[in-house]
Amino acid sequence: MFLGILFTILWASGAVSVKFGLLSAPPLIMGTIRFLLAGGLLLLYIYFFKKGTYRMPHTTG
């Protein structure tokens, strides 16, 4: 339930942040920063809260 509410709040705030952000940065830079930030936050969430549930990828060779 909490994750659903958090997702809704973050999704709704995305449009507002893009409107303000486009005044100071190009769209490609904004998209790249949002992608890297979201990916980093998800990796931290998995590492700290779901430790042992998901395995990190390993190279074989």
Side-chain angles (χ1 to χ4, degrees), residues 17-53:
S17 65
V18 167
K19 280 189 177 192
F20 285 112
L22 285 178
L23 297 175
S24 60
L28 187 60
I29 300 291
M30 287 280 300
T32 303
I33 290 171
R34 281 185 72 198
F35 176 77
L36 292 175
L37 245 167
L41 288 174
L42 285 173
L43 281 174
L44 286 174
Y45 172 76
I46 288 173
Y47 183 75
F48 287 114
F49 295 107
K50 301 288 185 179
K51 190 173 265 193
T53 306

